[in-house]
Amino acid sequence: MNFKRIAGTAVGPVFAILSALIAGGILLLIIGFNPLKTYSQLFSLGVGTYLGLTESFKRMAPLLIMSAGLIIVFKAGIWNIGGNGQFLIGAIFVGGVAPLLVDRVPLFLFFIVLCILGFVGGAAWVTIPAVLKAKYQINEIIVTMMMDFVAINFSSYLVRYPLNAQPGRFPQTILIPLEKRLPNIVFTEIHIGLIVGIVVVILAHYFIKRTTLGYEFRFAGENKKAAFYAGVNIKKVIVLAMLLSGGFAGLTGAIDVLAIKGAFQAEWNPGYAFSAIPLVFLAQLNGIAVIPLAYFFSFLSIGGEFMSRAAEVPVFFVQVIEALMLIFFGVSEYLKKRSKLFCGF
Amino acid sequence: MASGGETVVEMRGITKCFGGMFANDDIDFDLKRGEIHALLGENGAGKTTLMNILSGMYHPDSGEIFIKGKKVRIGSPRESLELGIGMVYQHLTLVPTLSVLENIFLGTNRKFLLPKKEAEKRVRAISKKYGIDVDPHVEIWQLSAGEQERVEILKLFYRGSDVLILDEPTSVLSPIEIDDFFAVLKSMADAGKSVIFITHKIEEALFISDRVTILKKGVKGGEIDLSGIDIENEGARLKEKIVGMMFKDASFSEAAKEESRKISDRVVLALDGIVAKSDRDVEALKKITFDIHEGEIFGIAGVDGNGQKELAEVIAGQRKVESGTITLNETEITNRSIRFINEMGVFYVTEDRIEEGSVANFSLAENAIFRCYRNEPFAKSGILLNMDRIKNYCDGLIESYSIKAQSSDTIVKTLSGGNIQKLILAREFSYCPAVLICNKPTHGLDVMTMQYIRNELKAQSEKGVSVLMISSDLDEIKEVSDRIGVIFKGEIIQILPNRGTSKKQIGRLMLGITD
Ligand SMILES: Nc1ncnc2c1ncn2[C@@H]1O[C@H](COP(=O)(O)OP(=O)(O)OP(=O)(O)O)[C@@H](O)[C@H]1O
Ligand SMILES: [Mg+2]
């Protein structure tokens, strides 16, 4: 019974992935590449090499943490699509404050304080759209998206002027020394952000499923009128859900700075939210399903980056695959709905 | 009446199974030209499912369908429409922010530009032919349930349907609207259209139809031809026969309200000069003043749309009071939060079971805890939901209200309309509250369940619960109330004791005739 249910929900994403790979193969053929060769290269670089594996696991961390926030906010029926901006603000907060703390506090406290700071930064950035939505019913999609542009320019200003480590050189904040970065998981070269990611996404999953607040979030997301009738404070749900998702986006920025970058650099905008949004939809907003899919997305993007160097396949080819996956997922949902209509399952 | 006309629809041996449970089991059904054919059966008997099969929503597991003698396979609602079959669903499906005309277009127009002029002309012609009176330019949210029902029918005519399936069209209509509606039905049948009409009111079926078919737990319970039968004299006997065909053990009594009941002097709920606005921002309640005593059932009679919904919402805290005060057990609750008022002991059965009273994609268990999910034992320290306790609790409700569902994990949208209503009633009734507000509590329920709910209301009042009972069904009001307030255009124009007041008297007051 349980197995059947899991299999039933996995059908959609698996169908989407396979169809996207096939359609991508046809595209490759059209633009003059040998699809079989390209894919085997993609897999051997992405999975077959130590570097490919390690890098893919590292890339999972930001996707997982970002997804945790998105699951929560999407379940509450709110469209925070400004994760990239919230990410940047969390990252610049950490990049700016880390040098002040780095030699003054014990290392573990350093990490904790900065992670919290990143979370607060991301949450702070989403307060404006959250309040506008809760108080005046202003569409959050537009406001969160516009706040992205503001975040890009605001962080760019900060890193070029007040927080610039060495004016005249390429603008970035003061670098955190290598020995003060987030440690690796034992026996690997993968930083512990991966564990943080897995933990928060599982927590988000159970938060939504098993807590009273999570119930209120789902309630408001499914049927606002009924939630109001049952006495759920809709405004509280809107603000809290948005703050949590913004916070997780900011935490993603903190982890990326603390583990990999060591500083906030100008022009840096990895756009994790735009991968995490399709990811959580493929996972049908299920936190557990997010984990394997996050691996697949990471593998695609790392493998794609490697391949573009080796085989001259353009790097955005993997983005084409991601987009195709979403399209085919939509198709599978449609087919499922139809068959449900007619077979009654 | 055209009995003996040609057979337009014939369904043979229809079987439909949902995950191991037979919703329809080997059902035969047929419909003749110009016939009004009523479909009766208890909640969850499979009426909607059978009609969904005819309208192409579901595909039967086995069985055959013939339209005008030709065997067909109906793959989708579109194919069904093309065969001339149109259905008005149990829960109306119009888009509130679009106009009547735009709603009629929806799903039919294949042209790039809307052929407005031409369509309007056709709509008006159809309106005139069948006496369906609606203005094509008003938006749906401004219409009453009865008017919306007419728009749905108009839409089907516009699409050229000559077999109309109406799923419980009268359950949301007030008595006056029902009379108009029946006139429309008659003119349709006279024009050669055929109508399948689902209802829970046996009197209605006897009054309007040429034939009735009865379903009983998914199988056909019987069929009665009414042509040539003298309903006046044989109505009572027929009703008994039909009830016998619908239920296993049909023994129910319409226990009239005990008239000599002593009501306590203690006032539980008091409204004083309540003024409130409707969603359309016009004054919906104008200085409403009344009070309800402990253990009293106070009936509100009125034609739909005279402020009933707003009155209920104001007490439950869902609508802002502009002026006036509401007092509950000596505590003022005017404009307090919904949660606060609920915790003070006010529970509210909304009339809108689909949009407001339940969440379609939640399980029964999740729908059962609307009012108590924060409390022990359902939540540990108000944070962690205890799913086992919640399911147990829900199983109890399913059991005691005989809700037809596979388990407490079942998704609510797969329940039949009446069973969703039962779930909402079970939820709001189970706390033994201080005040129970019920807006049309029995709409969509079969006769047995309806009686059960009315008896339950009386039992609650015996236990000291004060009930505000809003209904447009005068029989219901008369049966359960101790006192009756008549609402007209947002005012309680008179409050009468139930005893010694006739239905006719109330009916006149409902139309605003005071003399
Ligand atoms: N899509 C579905 N999935 C699972 N079960 C279903 C589905 N649709 C209907 N059922 C079940 O089939 C049975 C018959 O339902 P149906 O809606 O036909 O009843 P009904 O006679 O119209 O009742 P009511 O008078 O309450 O509207 C019910 O037990 C219902 O739960
Ligand atoms: Mg039904």
Side-chain angles (χ1 to χ4, degrees):
Chain A
M1 175 64 212
N2 216 355
F3 171 76
K4 207 170 138 192
R5 226 186 57 216
I6 292 171
T9 42
V11 165
V14 170
F15 168 82
I17 289 170
L18 292 180
S19 325
L21 289 177
I22 292 169
I26 295 171
L27 276 181
L28 282 172
L29 208 62
I30 292 172
I31 58 171
F33 288 92
N34 178 346
L36 286 180
K37 218 176 106 204
T38 316
Y39 279 137
S40 72
Q41 207 169 18
L42 177 72
F43 277 91
S44 64
L45 286 172
V47 190
T49 63
Y50 179 72
L51 190 65
L53 271 178
T54 311
E55 288 301 314
S56 304
F57 279 122
K58 279 196 204 163
R59 178 61 58 84
M60 278 177 80
L63 291 182
L64 288 172
I65 303 171
M66 194 69 100
S67 300
L70 291 180
I71 290 174
I72 292 172
V73 80
F74 289 159
K75 272 282 185 190
I78 302 161
W79 294 89
N80 173 14
I81 56 165
N84 290 332
Q86 295 138 26
F87 169 93
L88 288 178
I89 298 301
I92 188 98
F93 269 36
V94 171
V97 174
L100 308 176
L101 292 181
V102 69
D103 292 322
R104 302 215 174 107
V105 296
L107 202 53
F108 80 94
L109 202 64
F110 172 71
F111 292 140
I112 290 177
V113 169
L114 287 175
C115 281
I116 293 175
L117 191 70
F119 192 96
V120 170
W125 198 246
V126 88
T127 341
I128 297 170
V131 170
L132 287 178
K133 164 111 179 144
K135 262 199 109 142
Y136 306 106
Q137 289 91 44
I138 292 176
N139 188 321
E140 74 280 14
I141 301 181
I142 296 171
V143 185
T144 52
M145 196 169 76
M146 293 320 229
M147 295 287 286
D148 258 11
F149 297 111
V150 184
I152 290 171
N153 288 309
F154 179 57
S155 61
S156 161
Y157 161 76
L158 288 178
V159 73
R160 274 167 221 277
Y161 301 102
L163 299 179
N164 198 342
Q166 293 158 301
R169 303 271 279 289
F170 182 74
Q172 67 174 39
T173 57
I174 299 166
L175 206 62
I176 306 168
L178 274 176
E179 67 277 10
K180 303 258 165 129
R181 306 274 175 89
L182 271 189
N184 288 338
I185 302 169
V186 278
F187 306 126
T188 69
E189 286 171 44
I190 303 158
H191 64 83
I192 57 165
L194 176 62
I195 295 181
V196 175
I198 291 177
V199 170
V200 294
V201 87
I202 292 177
L203 280 180
H205 181 77
Y206 284 102
F207 166 76
I208 280 292
K209 261 185 98 152
R210 288 278 181 268
T211 65
T212 48
L213 198 56
Y215 175 78
E216 289 184 344
F217 282 21
R218 282 186 290 137
F219 205 157
E222 283 286 348
N223 184 341
K224 249 195 207 73
K225 213 168 153 186
F228 176 72
Y229 161 82
V232 172
N233 186 340
I234 309 268
K235 288 181 180 155
K236 181 183 95 179
V237 168
I238 292 172
V239 171
L240 274 181
M242 288 185 80
L243 288 186
L244 279 174
S245 72
F248 279 120
L251 177 64
T252 311
I255 298 271
D256 244 26
V257 168
L258 288 174
I260 298 181
K261 286 272 165 188
F264 188 95
Q265 292 175 330
E267 317 287 335
W268 180 51
N269 185 3
Y272 294 131
F274 289 157
S275 292
I277 290 173
L279 197 166
V280 296
F281 278 106
L282 275 179
Q284 287 146 79
L285 302 185
N286 178 317
I288 307 299
V290 159
I291 299 172
L293 278 170
Y295 173 74
F296 185 72
F297 271 64
S298 314
F299 147 74
L300 265 188
S301 72
I302 297 294
E305 277 170 28
F306 286 8
M307 194 176 62
S308 68
R309 280 174 231 158
E312 292 163 353
V313 177
V315 65
F316 51 78
F317 177 67
V318 296
Q319 287 165 1
V320 173
I321 300 256
E322 276 179 20
L324 283 171
M325 277 194 306
L326 213 58
I327 292 168
F328 283 110
F329 183 65
V331 172
S332 89
E333 286 292 279
Y334 171 74
L335 291 176
K336 218 156 78 183
K337 214 174 215 156
R338 270 188 74 108
S339 71
K340 194 177 273 168
L341 228 52
F342 296 126
C343 314
F345 274 104
Chain B
M1 301 213 181
S3 49
E6 123 195 61
T7 300
V8 284
V9 174
E10 188 173 0
M11 302 173 84
R12 246 190 251 151
I14 299 291
T15 299
K16 177 77 192 171
C17 191
F18 290 111
M21 191 213 54
F22 283 92
N24 286 164
D25 189 359
D26 194 21
I27 292 178
D28 296 330
F29 178 87
D30 70 283
L31 181 70
K32 299 199 165 68
R33 175 180 300 283
E35 181 186 40
I36 300 178
H37 191 150
L39 194 53
L40 296 166
E42 68 175 315
N43 293 127
K47 306 178 293 295
T48 301
T49 305
L50 186 67
M51 290 304 114
N52 275 336
I53 288 172
L54 187 55
S55 76
M57 277 294 267
Y58 293 139
H59 197 73
D61 298 338
S62 65
E64 296 173 308
I65 302 175
F66 300 86
I67 304 293
K68 298 188 181 109
K70 234 177 72 200
K71 185 169 169 181
V72 291
R73 187 185 176 284
I74 305 174
S76 69
R78 168 149 275 159
E79 285 175 43
S80 164
L81 265 177
E82 278 160 9
L83 289 167
I85 302 165
M87 177 155 171
V88 178
Y89 294 95
Q90 193 163 359
H91 306 108
L92 303 182
T93 52
L94 299 169
V95 182
T97 51
L98 293 183
S99 75
V100 170
L101 202 57
E102 285 162 333
N103 265 285
I104 289 173
F105 276 137
L106 266 189
T108 43
N109 184 52
R110 304 240 174 116
K111 292 187 189 128
F112 178 65
L113 291 172
L114 296 176
K116 279 222 160 125
K117 283 256 157 56
E118 184 195 322
E120 189 180 333
K121 235 164 65 199
R122 254 188 77 198
V123 167
R124 287 198 192 278
I126 298 168
S127 306
K128 204 160 148 219
K129 181 166 173 200
Y130 298 102
I132 305 174
D133 207 11
V134 275
D135 175 358
H137 295 294
V138 294
E139 289 180 2
I140 297 300
W141 59 268
Q142 297 176 310
L143 300 179
S144 74
E147 289 167 315
Q148 290 192 30
E149 192 73 44
R150 273 180 252 164
V151 176
E152 293 267 20
I153 293 175
L154 210 55
K155 187 167 148 184
L156 296 185
F157 279 139
Y158 184 84
R159 294 171 173 196
S161 306
D162 44 33
V163 173
L164 288 98
I165 307 168
L166 311 175
D167 196 349
E168 292 188 32
T170 55
S171 68
V172 287
L173 304 189
S174 46
I176 304 157
E177 287 179 315
I178 291 178
D179 291 342
D180 289 351
F181 176 73
F182 281 166
V184 172
L185 276 194
K186 283 273 188 233
S187 72
M188 275 158 46
D190 290 342
K193 307 268 180 187
S194 314
V195 182
I196 305 171
F197 166 57
I198 299 180
T199 184
H200 287 296
K201 295 177 191 147
I202 299 170
E203 293 83 359
E204 277 182 359
L206 293 177
F207 173 74
I208 191 77
S209 42
D210 305 309
R211 207 153 38 123
V212 294
T213 289
I214 293 110
L215 299 188
K216 176 181 182 176
K217 294 194 193 303
V219 299
K220 186 161 170 173
E223 187 186 306
I224 302 173
D225 196 341
L226 297 175
S227 52
I229 288 185
D230 177 12
I231 301 295
E232 288 274 306
N233 294 321
E234 303 214 34
R237 188 187 60 80
L238 272 174
K239 184 176 173 188
E240 211 165 291
K241 188 170 160 196
I242 291 172
V243 170
M245 286 172 162
M246 279 165 69
F247 304 96
K248 251 204 326 267
D249 40 354
S251 56
F252 74 97
S253 54
E254 284 183 32
K257 184 89 193 168
E258 278 176 46
E259 300 205 346
S260 56
R261 215 158 67 89
K262 179 94 181 72
I263 301 287
S264 135
D265 286 335
R266 206 168 75 80
V267 170
V268 171
L269 182 75
L271 276 73
D272 187 14
I274 292 298
V275 176
K277 284 187 174 158
S278 76
D279 291 340
R280 301 169 208 177
D281 218 28
V282 294
E283 215 159 78
L285 301 178
K286 302 166 190 157
K287 292 217 177 288
I288 297 249
T289 302
F290 65 83
D291 46 38
I292 310 181
H293 293 240
E294 186 177 7
E296 182 185 35
I297 301 185
F298 188 76
I300 297 281
V303 175
D304 258 356
N306 275 290
Q308 290 94 325
K309 177 166 164 270
E310 288 82 2
L311 175 61
E313 287 179 349
V314 150
I315 302 171
Q318 288 180 218
R319 185 173 294 276
K320 215 175 135 247
V321 175
E322 304 286 328
S323 68
T325 57
I326 306 174
T327 320
L328 175 69
N329 284 329
E330 269 125 58
T331 310
E332 199 186 320
I333 57 165
T334 326
N335 288 335
R336 297 300 298 260
S337 76
I338 298 168
R339 184 174 288 187
F340 175 84
I341 292 173
N342 177 237
E343 277 163 3
M344 292 280 294
V346 176
F347 286 77
Y348 166 35
V349 177
T350 164
E351 64 177 330
D352 186 352
R353 61 181 171 224
I354 298 297
E355 294 288 325
E356 184 170 79
S358 66
V359 177
N361 287 323
F362 272 8
S363 67
L364 268 83
E366 286 168 319
N367 271 284
I369 53 167
F370 275 20
R371 304 292 189 188
C372 61
Y373 62 90
R374 277 169 265 108
N375 308 340
E376 297 280 356
F378 306 114
K380 286 188 207 100
S381 21
I383 296 174
L384 271 186
L385 293 175
N386 184 339
M387 289 318 279
D388 289 339
R389 278 318 237 320
I390 292 171
K391 280 181 198 160
N392 272 341
Y393 167 70
C394 182
D395 286 336
L397 296 185
I398 292 175
E399 171 87 31
S400 49
Y401 283 79
S402 20
I403 298 167
K404 206 175 167 210
Q406 282 172 356
S407 78
S408 53
D409 286 326
T410 306
I411 300 299
V412 158
K413 75 173 164 204
T414 67
L415 292 192
S416 82
N419 280 298
I420 297 177
Q421 184 70 17
K422 284 197 243 174
L423 177 67
I424 293 169
L425 289 163
R427 178 182 69 214
E428 306 294 319
F429 279 22
S430 63
Y431 303 93
C432 210
V435 174
L436 189 57
I437 309 164
C438 294
N439 195 355
K440 296 192 184 157
T442 59
H443 96 253
L445 297 182
D446 62 51
V447 276
M448 295 283 268
T449 315
M450 180 186 289
Q451 200 52 49
Y452 175 79
I453 294 300
R454 289 179 187 169
N455 293 342
E456 186 60 28
L457 275 172
K458 290 180 217 164
Q460 294 251 351
S461 74
E462 297 289 341
K463 282 188 262 177
V465 178
S466 306
V467 182
L468 182 70
M469 164 79 185
I470 303 171
S471 179
S472 51
D473 181 346
L474 266 184
D475 294 320
E476 179 156 272
I477 293 273
K478 282 289 293 173
E479 190 191 327
V480 299
S481 314
D482 295 300
R483 279 186 304 152
I484 299 167
V486 181
I487 194 166
F488 181 72
K489 292 201 170 152
E491 283 175 275
I492 301 277
I493 52 173
Q494 200 158 348
I495 296 175
L496 307 147
N498 190 0
R499 180 163 41 167
T501 304
S502 70
K503 260 166 67 174
K504 204 166 150 215
Q505 226 175 327
I506 303 171
R508 283 169 64 84
L509 284 169
M510 279 166 67
L511 297 174
I513 306 166
T514 45
D515 43 27

